[in-house]
Amino acid sequence: MYRFLLTRQWVIITLVALLLIPTMIWLGFWQLHRHDHRQKLNQVITASLAAKPVPVESLTSVGGPVAHDDIYRRVTANGHFDTAHELVVRRRTNADDQVGYHVLTPFVLDDGRTLLVNRGWIASSASQTAFPRIPAPASGEITVTGRLMRDETTAASGIKNLKGLPDRQIMLINSEQIGALLRDSGDTSAKAVLGGYIELTSPAPKGGSPQLLPSPQEDTSWIGIGDINLPYAVQWWLFAAFVPVGWLVLARRELRDLAGAEREAAAKETEPATV
């Protein structure tokens, strides 16, 4: 009765089903792992944004990494902007998904160390090779406040660190690489660059440009706001459960069709011969 299961077609169907079940279960756990990671990251970000600002020197050091629990932590710094060695980060979007630049300006602290400050977004210029016109920041000795961020890497961001870019244009905000770039360009104050960088929150730019970057709680496009991984995990597990059900339905249908064919054949054999 079930001899049809040994046919080539059904052997292939059964093998595919046996492969799909563990694969879908694994995909469900992978999505669950991503869900847990996002939940923990959201907790860190929420705590960081709610905490009182602290001096940036207390959370990072020259050549040192920014701790995971300190990302998005509000920090302050005293010093002055060094616009002569300003850089722009290519292919960055604003809240309206317009492609432009992030403005990265070295900020020289009172003790001589340098902090990289992402001052926000500006639109792309007509020329992709010429350095864009950038509104100047506040001059003189000031106090800035921002969100502390870890160095960007290709592995973490997926952004390729391209070579041969136009002068003073970069792809990744990486304090070690940028420190070397600034020193090669003759910036003597970049001998001691603090690890990581900050996203400026104050003082606000005059005229609204560069556009300050929104915090994760303000940016609905941020990947950590909408929790889609848990529903995806459940979806994959449901798919895994449906595979054996679907296999059984197909097998019963095949069995029914074979039984019907056998009955028709038997009926033809018992019909009286026509004279």
Side-chain angles (χ1 to χ4, degrees):
M1 181 179 295
Y2 293 97
R3 198 171 296 172
F4 69 90
L5 294 176
L6 299 177
T7 62
R8 182 174 181 272
Q9 177 185 0
W10 272 95
V11 168
I12 293 175
I13 291 175
T14 302
L15 288 175
V16 170
L18 292 175
L19 287 173
L20 284 176
I21 293 172
T23 299
M24 291 178 176
I25 291 174
W26 178 84
L27 287 171
F29 280 108
W30 176 67
Q31 291 287 354
L32 183 62
H33 174 73
R34 295 191 65 189
H35 162 77
D36 292 339
H37 173 74
R38 285 190 184 177
Q39 291 296 101
K40 293 177 181 177
L41 181 59
N42 286 342
Q43 292 173 2
V44 169
I45 294 174
T46 300
S48 293
L49 294 176
K52 293 181 179 180
V54 297
V56 67
E57 301 94 328
S58 66
L59 297 181
T60 183
S61 59
V62 175
V66 173
H68 175 75
D69 289 346
D70 291 331
I71 58 174
Y72 286 95
R73 182 69 186 273
R74 293 188 298 160
V75 294
T76 60
N78 300 315
H80 64 275
F81 281 111
D82 176 14
T83 56
H85 298 96
E86 205 161 45
L87 304 170
V88 292
V89 192
R90 294 168 62 93
R91 301 179 186 174
R92 300 300 169 110
T93 57
N94 65 356
D96 298 322
D97 289 331
Q98 295 176 305
V99 180
Y101 302 104
H102 279 181
V103 178
L104 192 68
T105 310
F107 188 78
V108 183
L109 305 182
D110 292 338
D111 61 9
R113 290 182 294 179
T114 297
L115 170 68
L116 300 178
V117 178
N118 186 340
R119 294 204 289 123
W121 181 91
I122 60 171
S124 296
S125 56
S127 172
Q128 294 296 309
T129 57
F131 194 75
R133 296 184 61 182
I134 302 173
S139 59
E141 294 292 319
I142 61 170
T143 298
V144 297
T145 304
R147 297 181 293 266
L148 184 61
M149 306 297 294
R150 307 181 87 175
D151 285 328
E152 295 179 342
T153 63
T154 298
S157 66
I159 302 173
K160 294 182 179 180
N161 197 8
L162 303 178
K163 296 182 179 180
L165 295 175
D167 187 38
R168 298 170 64 189
Q169 297 191 24
I170 58 176
M171 297 297 298
L172 290 169
I173 306 177
N174 185 285
S175 59
E176 182 178 354
Q177 296 173 5
I178 293 172
L181 178 65
L182 293 176
R183 289 189 292 272
D184 290 343
S185 68
D187 184 3
T188 57
S189 65
K191 293 181 180 179
V193 178
L194 295 176
Y197 66 98
I198 69 168
E199 294 178 346
L200 185 69
T201 57
S202 69
K206 294 180 179 179
S209 183
Q211 298 176 12
L212 294 180
L213 303 181
S215 73
Q217 294 176 338
E218 300 168 338
D219 184 4
T220 56
S221 68
W222 183 62
I223 195 170
I225 294 297
D227 185 4
I228 59 174
N229 296 107
L230 186 58
Y232 280 168
V234 175
Q235 176 180 285
W236 280 118
W237 291 332
L238 288 175
F239 285 163
F242 288 153
V243 169
V245 174
W247 183 92
L248 184 60
V249 169
L250 289 176
R252 289 174 63 87
R253 182 180 297 173
E254 181 80 5
L255 185 63
R256 186 173 63 250
D257 292 344
L258 290 174
E262 289 178 359
R263 286 195 297 270
E264 290 181 3
K268 289 181 179 180
E269 291 178 359
T270 57
E271 288 180 358
T274 58
V275 178

